[in-house]
Amino acid sequence: MATYRVSTLVAAPPERVFDTWTDPDRFTEWIGGVTRVTDRVGSAAQAGSSYTVWFGRMASPTEVISAERPRHLRTRFGNAILKGESDVTFTPEGDGTRIQQLFETRGFVATVVGRLFAMGSYRGSFRGELETFRAMVERDNPGAGSG
């Protein structure tokens, strides 16, 4: 098992950030390689729900372990290449929201792949996805944080 942490500040309120984060219809916009989301059971913002994220032909079943809108979301995900858990907190900070994401990978292959995704800030990296998400939310919420 390996642990990776990333964080960013989004110029939008926690409710908007959380709601966008838990909208599977928007995953293709900010999660590298996602082509679709299927098999939805319940809301992605509610504990006990599940869905499958597709990276081309590779499926990654995902389960929401715990959710507390607009402050916290924990999911378990996995396929042959990358599996583990994601724990995300959304904390008010100034006029925005601090996102802190912790990835815990499970298994040797996932640890190696996780390390590759943890390095740098390229489009598919953990940091790159978080920054793409930040830019997307701020683009959707022009003028947020300026007051």
Side-chain angles (χ1 to χ4, degrees):
M1 178 174 78
T3 301
Y4 308 100
R5 290 177 173 81
V6 290
S7 177
T8 196
L9 181 62
V10 182
E15 294 80 8
R16 178 169 287 147
V17 174
F18 183 89
D19 291 347
T20 305
W21 188 277
T22 57
D23 182 352
D25 292 331
R26 305 224 41 205
F27 288 0
T28 59
E29 295 178 58
W30 64 277
I31 301 174
V34 171
T35 54
R36 67 189 186 282
V37 179
T38 62
D39 307 320
R40 298 182 198 186
V41 176
S43 164
Q46 183 176 16
S49 64
S50 61
Y51 49 90
T52 301
V53 179
W54 290 85
F55 298 85
R57 293 175 30 196
M58 184 174 296
S60 182
T62 304
E63 174 190 359
V64 179
I65 300 167
S66 63
E68 181 187 341
R69 182 183 185 270
R71 306 276 187 224
H72 179 251
L73 184 74
R74 186 171 184 89
T75 58
R76 180 177 301 120
F77 58 90
N79 58 35
I81 294 176
L82 186 62
K83 60 185 165 188
E85 293 185 7
S86 168
D87 191 271
V88 188
T89 57
F90 306 88
T91 307
E93 185 174 311
D95 290 333
T97 303
R98 170 70 56 188
I99 300 174
Q100 294 180 309
Q101 185 173 25
L102 174 105
F103 288 97
E104 296 175 334
T105 59
R106 305 265 188 250
F108 177 75
V109 172
T111 297
V112 171
V113 172
R115 177 72 181 137
L116 294 174
F117 288 148
M119 296 171 55
S121 58
Y122 58 90
R123 170 81 168 110
S125 70
F126 296 149
R127 176 159 309 286
E129 289 176 355
L130 190 58
E131 289 304 317
T132 299
F133 177 82
R134 178 196 55 73
M136 180 184 77
V137 172
E138 290 176 355
R139 182 185 66 241
D140 291 351
N141 190 34
S146 63

